[in-house]
Amino acid sequence: LRRQTAFLDEGIASDPELVGGKAVSLARMRSLGLRVPPAFVVTAEACRAYFRNGRLDTALRSEIERAISRLEEETERRFGGAKRPLLVSVRSGAAVSMPGMMDTVLDLGMNPRVEAALEREGGGRRFAAETHARFRELFRRIVLKRPDAPLPDDPIEQLLLAVIAVFESSRSRRARAYRKRHDLPDDLPTAVTVQAMVFGNLDGHSGTGVLFTRNPATGEAKPFGEFLACAQGEDVVSGTRTPEPIERLAEALPDVYAELLAAGRILEEAEQDVQDIEFTVERGTLWLLQARSAKRSADAAIRIAVELANEGKIAREDAIRRVTSEQVRAVQRPRLRDEARRSALLLTRGEAASPGVGAGVAVEDCDETESRSAAGERIVLVRPTTSPQDLHGMIAAEAIVTEVGGTTSHAAIVSRSLHKPCVVGCGEGTIAALVGRSVTVDGSHGEVFDGLLTVETFRTDSHRWLAQLDAWAGGRLLHQLDE
Amino acid sequence: LVLEDPDFIVLHGLALRRRSDIEGLEQTTGLAREVIEQALDRARKANLVALARRLYLLTADGDAALGLVYPQRFAESRGDRRLAAACERFESLNREFKALITDWQVRPLGVAKLPNDHSDAEYDDRILQRLCTLHDRAEEILSVLSSSLPLVARHVDRLRAALERAEGGEPEWVSGVRCDSYHAVWFELHEDLLRLLGKSREEDR
């Protein structure tokens, strides 16, 4: 019989089927000696039992209560307590990440008594009220699914309802449709991670942020990240506040920053890849919330693979395997030569809406664009705005420029779908000066230049990391693309 | 000149798609193939429609003819306050929709923004969740419009179909331009509302 609940230190780090990918990551961090908020998992096995019985049986209920007791001991807090209350987050975690699963509920365990206790504990009235409000909003939307539903006061009842909601979400229409399409079992269960909350919004020695162990845009082997003092992660996600560069943390809390970098090095070493680490600082103590392999640009992917191999962290064969042919293709996209850009006449500037460089004669009419392009001319489509009627012109054009509209405009959206360079919002009346001229559009920088500028097409000597990788691969990376 | 159904619907559908083959018009109008073919034949004889590279398109005459029909045919709808209110709500939803599609196509990476290569299931999933919520709100608004405007119910079915493909793991059905993607249908729908109600498109900044 497999267990229905498990703590992070109970040998679960290699069992994603049972506890889900996120809990595995937490358990790994913990086993590396990193500070992770205490957590337990209600396992996929419990989910299976729930599906079988159609309800949470008494044995599982009391097991969850016992797990909460242990969490209380580890944190020296009480669930629903009038003194030092324990709040938890509840999140879904299946072995495979799939659509339709439940969003995370934060601050669970909250009620009016707990709010008063949080205030007394030193968080202040505003912190306590905000935390309560956040819980109400999340619990109603995610678990109760009605904006005006009454909230249960009992923390255990809140927790059981949230666990059931996670289980049920793995049977949602969306999750099922996804599994069907990917040939996954229809009844795939999910686990639930219940973790003690830590707060980045308590005081000036608190905050939240993200650390990349290397720069995800350029690949440079230098830590990169963001920090927001006195805030919770949701403040960043919701865009209500703008984070500052990670150096802000180095100035404010140098010891925490040093500890964070050390954690980054340990994780990168253990996972043999660049890490994207979410963290919270609570009253000067660093807590790691999540670590995963960082998403990266094509340039960064190639540079990182080569440098990890050079540092001896991965084998050269692994470095080659980690770079996709799409990434190799992406770094070879034409770019404007710096010299060409410096000496060129800038005709107009707008928002960079879709990357890449395209050049040709500026034409306003879509039918004309289509016919001249079919006749072999290179055309840049310049329009006040675009609409669905202009699609044929956009398909035929080398690049697209508009007078009005931002990065969410039709022109921007369709250009990105078509992988065409696009500059939008150059200002009303600007295209009249362009029509009939030869122009070069730099969609990465939002600039339109006079004339057909020299475009730097890819040469191996201009990208030393790709050249290195290709040499290791015996030339087959670039060769493959020539075919 | 009086344009009666089904000819009006076929020409109007062609106006929304701009250039289309018969299959595309079937998608947009929901009419049977032979009905569309006969309507297009009549329209070509009247010089309202031309055929270029196997795609049909409206002639200037065809465009003008449609322009005369809208105000008559939709006079009542254009004066309907409930409809106007629904359209206003749709416009505001449209702004949200465009921001959502932008998030779908461009993902933040540190301070940089990069084209979304759809390799991060979690990121995509968050946006698909938003799209589902937005779709439910759109259906609510469109149900008010569908009783008065002929193609709206059809658009809703197509939106739902695109959403299901996208949710099923085919990202091109969100904003691709080479299939009946959610974004492609949404724009046809928006264009439809604007034409019937006699408004012009506004790009927001």
Side-chain angles (χ1 to χ4, degrees):
Chain A
L1 190 76
R2 309 189 69 195
R3 38 189 326 162
Q4 300 206 338
T5 62
F7 272 78
L8 295 182
D9 56 0
E10 295 178 323
I12 58 170
S14 54
D15 204 346
E17 303 283 316
L18 185 67
V19 298
K22 285 198 188 110
V24 162
S25 149
L26 292 173
R28 282 177 71 90
M29 284 198 276
R30 200 181 150 119
S31 68
L32 291 167
L34 302 172
R35 197 181 301 107
V36 172
F40 67 88
V41 181
V42 183
T43 67
E45 192 56 38
C47 182
R48 213 169 256 132
Y50 169 80
F51 287 161
R52 215 165 36 232
N53 305 333
R55 62 192 176 85
L56 292 183
D57 60 26
T58 16
L60 178 57
R61 282 165 186 262
S62 44
E63 213 176 309
I64 291 175
E65 288 188 38
R66 277 199 300 279
I68 280 288
S69 305
R70 186 173 150 193
L71 211 54
E72 290 177 330
E73 283 165 32
E74 287 190 21
T75 55
E76 296 173 4
R77 290 182 166 274
R78 295 274 303 174
F79 203 38
K83 253 171 125 183
R84 289 186 55 79
L86 167 68
L87 296 180
V88 297
S89 65
V90 176
R91 68 186 75 221
S92 65
V96 201
S97 167
M98 58 194 156
M101 300 298 292
M102 195 185 85
D103 283 349
T104 302
V105 179
L106 302 172
D107 304 324
L108 188 138
M110 185 54 106
N111 61 34
R113 207 164 55 132
V114 169
E115 182 185 333
L118 278 184
E119 185 185 335
R120 280 195 303 275
E121 203 186 317
R125 174 178 292 259
R126 187 157 159 223
F127 163 75
E130 274 177 12
T131 307
H132 199 164
R134 184 168 280 159
F135 166 69
R136 270 195 295 263
E137 192 272 317
L138 290 172
F139 196 81
R140 283 194 172 121
R141 176 164 62 80
I142 298 170
V143 178
L144 302 173
K145 298 189 173 66
R146 274 177 40 210
D148 50 352
L151 290 166
D153 260 0
D154 177 16
I156 290 288
E157 191 186 341
Q158 293 172 4
L159 178 59
L160 296 177
L161 285 172
V163 167
I164 290 173
V166 173
F167 287 167
E168 286 297 340
S169 73
S170 78
R171 296 203 278 198
S172 69
R173 185 182 61 76
R174 290 190 57 208
R176 288 192 129 142
Y178 180 85
R179 289 198 294 263
K180 192 169 172 199
R181 203 170 284 277
H182 288 84
D183 285 326
L184 295 164
D186 181 51
D187 58 349
L188 200 68
T190 181
V192 187
T193 303
V194 180
Q195 187 170 34
M197 288 291 302
V198 287
F199 294 97
N201 53 347
L202 273 174
D203 59 17
H205 293 101
S206 304
T208 187
V210 178
L211 176 81
F212 291 86
T213 53
R214 295 171 195 235
N215 187 311
T218 64
E220 190 187 357
K222 201 178 135 204
F224 178 91
E226 293 176 337
F227 180 71
L228 187 54
C230 200
Q232 285 286 75
E234 310 84 70
D235 299 328
V236 180
V237 175
S238 66
T240 48
R241 290 177 59 193
T242 310
E244 298 178 82
I246 193 79
E247 286 71 27
R248 175 78 190 76
L249 174 66
E251 293 156 20
L253 302 163
D255 294 348
V256 171
Y257 183 66
E259 189 187 344
L260 178 64
L261 292 196
R265 281 192 295 272
I266 291 170
L267 277 164
E268 192 180 284
E269 189 82 27
E271 305 296 335
Q272 301 177 343
D273 198 10
V274 181
Q275 297 292 298
D276 162 355
I277 302 164
E278 286 175 31
F279 65 91
T280 283
V281 183
E282 185 186 78
R283 293 192 165 118
T285 301
L286 174 69
W287 296 94
L288 304 186
L289 304 183
Q290 190 181 65
R292 51 184 192 162
S293 283
K295 299 291 165 192
R296 62 206 76 177
S297 70
D299 275 312
I302 292 168
R303 176 166 176 181
I304 288 166
V306 169
E307 294 193 337
L308 284 176
N310 283 339
E311 292 162 23
K313 289 185 174 142
I314 60 173
R316 286 178 177 181
E317 268 309 308
D318 291 328
I320 296 161
R321 209 168 310 128
R322 280 184 189 192
V323 172
T324 66
S325 53
E326 178 47 44
Q327 288 166 333
V328 173
R329 206 167 286 131
V331 303
Q332 296 181 82
R333 258 181 220 134
R335 304 172 195 214
L336 268 189
R337 274 178 179 279
D338 279 343
E339 316 86 79
R341 175 192 304 280
R342 270 195 299 275
S343 56
L345 172 65
L346 183 69
L347 294 176
T348 182
R349 187 196 292 276
E351 278 192 79
S354 179
V357 178
V361 179
V363 168
E364 185 178 348
D365 185 80
C366 287
D367 293 340
E368 186 185 340
T369 299
E370 193 183 38
S371 55
R372 286 176 68 174
S373 152
E377 257 187 292
R378 292 197 297 160
I379 305 294
V380 169
L381 180 66
V382 296
R383 306 272 311 155
T385 63
T386 67
S387 77
Q389 285 99 316
D390 302 325
L391 185 60
H392 61 294
M394 299 177 79
I395 289 172
E398 301 290 320
I400 294 115
V401 177
T402 69
E403 290 184 341
V404 180
T407 51
T408 68
S409 63
H410 177 267
I413 288 171
V414 173
S415 298
R416 287 190 292 258
S417 284
L418 290 169
H419 306 289
K420 305 251 179 188
C422 177
V423 176
V424 296
C426 295
E428 280 173 52
T430 44
I431 62 166
L434 301 179
V435 171
R437 276 176 113 130
S438 287
V439 298
T440 300
V441 178
D442 184 343
S444 311
H445 294 86
E447 293 170 332
V448 182
F449 296 100
D450 189 32
L452 304 175
L453 300 191
T454 316
V455 168
E456 183 169 43
T457 44
F458 176 80
R459 297 200 326 274
T460 41
D461 56 357
S462 66
H463 198 297
R464 49 189 263 235
W465 290 283
L466 181 55
Q468 177 68 81
L469 197 68
D470 190 44
W472 290 344
R476 70 174 189 267
L477 284 186
L478 296 170
H479 178 70
Q480 189 185 329
L481 296 177
D482 294 338
E483 285 166 3
Chain B
L1 174 96
V2 186
L3 269 177
E4 296 290 350
D5 285 342
D7 297 38
F8 167 74
I9 294 288
V10 171
L11 292 198
H12 174 58
L14 191 53
L16 299 187
R17 297 187 76 95
R18 178 74 172 187
R19 320 175 151 227
S20 179
D21 51 15
I22 307 265
E23 286 72 31
L25 286 171
E26 282 181 299
Q27 280 295 329
T28 295
T29 64
L31 295 172
R33 191 179 179 91
E34 54 272 27
V35 174
I36 295 171
E37 283 171 346
Q38 287 160 13
L40 287 172
D41 280 345
R42 284 191 290 275
R44 282 183 72 188
K45 286 197 188 99
N47 192 33
L48 302 178
V49 159
L51 184 61
R53 278 182 246 148
R54 276 172 295 150
L55 294 177
Y56 292 91
L57 68 162
L58 287 176
T59 62
D61 284 357
D63 210 23
L66 266 183
L68 292 176
V69 176
Y70 293 134
Q72 300 164 18
R73 186 162 171 147
F74 297 101
E76 202 181 313
S77 302
R78 286 182 180 189
D80 185 334
R81 286 188 12 218
R82 219 166 66 95
L83 235 62
C87 276
E88 241 165 72
R89 281 166 62 211
F90 184 82
E91 283 298 331
S92 126
L93 196 63
N94 185 46
R95 282 188 283 278
E96 265 183 64
F97 173 70
K98 293 203 286 183
L100 185 152
I101 293 294
T102 301
D103 290 343
W104 174 255
Q105 294 181 319
V106 185
R107 56 167 294 162
L109 198 59
V111 286
K113 292 195 164 209
L114 294 170
N116 182 6
D117 62 2
H118 305 296
S119 62
D120 184 350
E122 253 176 75
Y123 180 84
D124 281 4
D125 184 36
R126 275 203 299 277
I127 294 169
L128 283 175
Q129 296 264 29
R130 277 166 61 198
L131 185 59
C132 284
T133 314
L134 186 138
H135 177 85
D136 291 343
R137 286 163 62 203
E139 279 208 19
E140 209 181 295
I141 297 172
L142 294 172
S143 67
V144 178
L145 300 169
S146 63
S147 50
S148 324
L149 305 177
L151 289 181
V152 170
R154 174 96 201 133
H155 296 314
V156 171
D157 288 344
R158 293 165 69 205
L159 288 175
R160 214 179 283 148
L163 187 58
E164 272 169 26
R165 300 287 295 259
E167 283 177 319
E170 295 178 88
E172 65 278 15
W173 283 81
V174 176
S175 66
V177 290
R178 299 183 200 279
C179 60
D180 239 14
S181 71
Y182 201 93
H183 179 259
V185 177
W186 181 280
F187 252 96
E188 258 185 53
L189 160 66
H190 192 207
E191 187 69 20
D192 193 4
L193 299 184
L194 295 174
R195 281 180 167 258
L196 300 185
L197 299 177
K199 301 192 169 170
S200 59
R201 251 165 66 84
E202 251 180 53
E203 274 296 6
D204 31 46
R205 285 153 199 268

